[in-house]
Amino acid sequence: LSLLANAWGILSVGAKQKKWKPLEFLLCTLAATHMLNVAVPIATYAVVQLRRQRPDYEWNEGLCKVFVSTFYTLTLATCFSVTSLSYHRMWMVRWPVNYRLSNAKKQAVHTVMGIWMVSFILSALPAVGWHDTSERFYTHGCHFIVAEIGLGFGVCFLLLVGGSVAMGVVCTAIALFQTLAVQVGRRADRHAFTVPTIVVEDAQGKRRSSIDGSEPARTSLQITGLVATIVVIYDCLMGFPVLVVSFSSLRADASAPWMALCVLWCSVTQALLLPLFLWACDRYRADLKAVWEKCVALMANDEDSDDETSLEGGIPPDLVLDRSLDYSYGGDFVALDRTATYELSALEGDLPQFCPPRPLQDDKMQYL
């Protein structure tokens, strides 16, 4: 059920979004991590426990190594993904102009790659040899609590999970405060600052790329609430229970049956709740028809990506920023004059490469 629900969540997000953004990419990555977690380590553990009830069962150390490594890899990847989600949301609402002008999509991809690399390297060490040499934790049973693996792994695991949970809580609190403050400011002042939508066209008038403007008030509050809910549910159902179980096992230098059950059931529960939160959000809720049309379009490979290219994947080289102004909103404000006409082919003539900047207008706009 968790596997199918998270797969439906990924399809729903893809069906409702015309072009992928960093936040949607991180949401789908988190759902895919949940799918792998329930499909590989938890399913493996369940099959092993069922087979141990049969009289002809033979213990397999290699299967236990695979379970321990994949379980801790995906647990760390889930923890880091939730933290990255909260950080990107905080960046989006706190410094919106800087977020849109930066290569946020590329940074999100690099973040996911770094998350999986760090998680895999650390979690592969128990199977290779990071354990108590006097008694291996996978000799007679698959004991995967950190106290059975070793003190070094347990301390590193506690530091990573604890630091990630703390950072996620701080980023979520800042994002909530900033979103609510902006909502109140917009209601009080109708002339509040908004991020403009920047569209870049070539000489023939074809749209080359764009940067989205400010989010609508309802959408901003909805997405921030969704991210905050995901962070809170993860901390309550996975982050803090894992920290308590790991610390208790290290302190007692032993593992109890309730510890394994607590960690496993918390993993399944938080994986089941993520698709429900995505479905509850209007922005990511899609019906069966929209999902089917999206799947057909992906299989037909007929999506036109030329007209919907985002500047989040990289700013074109022909855009030259003359100078930047520092505003109290928290970023550099760059806008295009809507009434001016730009001939890019004129640069190929006798004109110099950099045209002198125009004088600043009364509304303090900068020109590209």
Side-chain angles (χ1 to χ4, degrees):
L1 182 61
S2 176
L3 190 69
L4 294 176
N6 282 275
W8 179 261
I10 295 176
L11 293 175
S12 298
V13 173
K16 292 299 291 288
Q17 301 304 310
K18 197 170 185 180
K19 56 182 179 180
W20 286 89
K21 298 180 180 179
L23 197 68
E24 283 77 22
F25 173 73
L26 293 173
L27 284 173
C28 291
T29 302
L30 181 60
T33 305
H34 288 328
M35 293 175 61
L36 291 175
N37 194 20
V38 299
V40 181
I42 296 180
T44 302
Y45 187 85
V47 170
V48 168
Q49 294 300 317
L50 292 175
R51 284 182 55 85
R52 292 185 67 175
Q53 301 178 6
R54 303 184 61 177
D56 58 344
Y57 172 73
E58 294 182 0
W59 177 248
N60 189 348
E61 292 186 2
L63 193 61
C64 181
K65 291 181 180 180
V66 172
F67 161 72
V68 173
S69 296
T70 54
F71 178 77
Y72 278 107
T73 298
L74 294 168
T75 299
L76 287 175
T78 302
C79 182
F80 295 154
S81 297
V82 172
T83 304
S84 178
L85 193 67
S86 62
Y87 172 77
H88 270 263
R89 188 57 194 170
M90 179 198 69
W91 186 14
M92 173 72 180
V93 300
R94 182 63 184 85
W95 298 281
V97 181
N98 180 271
Y99 181 85
R100 287 171 172 84
L101 292 179
S102 301
N103 204 341
K105 184 181 295 184
K106 186 176 181 180
Q107 292 185 17
V109 174
H110 290 172
T111 300
V112 172
M113 293 173 61
I115 285 172
W116 280 93
M117 183 176 65
V118 172
S119 303
F120 177 77
I121 291 175
L122 181 65
S123 302
L125 294 177
V128 174
W130 196 352
H131 52 76
D132 190 1
T133 56
S134 61
E135 183 180 357
R136 295 180 299 178
F137 67 92
Y138 48 76
T139 302
H140 303 291
C142 202
H143 306 289
F144 63 96
I145 303 300
V146 293
E148 302 288 343
I149 300 175
L151 180 61
F153 176 79
V155 171
C156 291
F157 182 76
L158 277 174
L159 291 176
L160 289 175
V161 175
S164 182
V165 168
M167 183 177 177
V169 171
V170 171
C171 292
T172 303
I174 295 175
L176 276 174
F177 175 78
Q178 186 68 24
T179 302
L180 295 177
V182 170
Q183 298 291 336
V184 174
R186 286 178 177 176
R187 293 175 183 177
D189 184 10
R190 296 183 178 180
H191 302 285
F193 178 82
T194 56
V195 182
T197 300
I198 301 176
V199 179
V200 180
E201 299 179 352
D202 57 9
Q204 287 75 29
K206 184 179 180 181
R207 179 175 176 175
R208 295 189 57 184
S209 54
S210 66
I211 298 178
D212 293 334
S214 295
E215 292 178 333
R218 181 182 177 184
T219 301
S220 179
L221 187 61
Q222 195 176 67
I223 296 178
T224 303
L226 173 64
V227 173
T229 305
I230 292 174
V231 173
V232 171
I233 292 299
Y234 170 80
D235 291 341
C236 295
L237 293 182
M238 192 63 189
F240 292 123
V242 167
L243 290 175
V244 171
V245 167
S246 301
F247 182 77
S248 301
S249 63
L250 288 176
R251 185 177 180 181
D253 197 16
S255 61
W258 67 269
M259 296 181 179
L261 292 176
C262 176
V263 172
L264 291 173
W265 278 107
C266 285
S267 299
V268 175
T269 304
Q270 57 119 10
L272 275 171
L273 290 178
L274 177 64
L276 296 179
F277 296 146
L278 293 177
W279 182 83
C281 185
D282 294 337
R283 182 178 176 85
Y284 304 124
R285 185 190 306 162
D287 54 3
L288 183 61
K289 181 180 179 181
V291 173
W292 173 254
E293 292 176 354
K294 183 68 175 180
C295 293
V296 172
L298 288 176
M299 290 185 293
N301 197 18
D302 58 353
E303 293 185 344
D304 187 9
S305 60
D306 294 336
D307 295 338
E308 297 298 334
T309 305
S310 175
L311 276 181
E312 293 173 348
I315 298 178
D318 55 337
L319 296 183
V320 181
L321 193 62
D322 292 329
R323 64 168 71 105
S324 60
L325 292 177
D326 192 7
Y327 287 85
S328 59
Y329 197 81
D332 295 331
F333 173 48
V334 182
L336 292 180
D337 188 5
R338 298 181 179 178
T339 60
T341 303
Y342 299 89
E343 290 292 340
L344 300 180
S345 59
L347 295 177
E348 300 177 359
D350 298 330
L351 295 178
Q353 185 176 1
F354 297 95
C355 296
R358 294 186 180 184
L360 294 176
Q361 304 294 327
D362 294 336
D363 53 357
K364 294 185 180 180
M365 280 191 174
Q366 278 292 87
Y367 293 88
L368 294 178

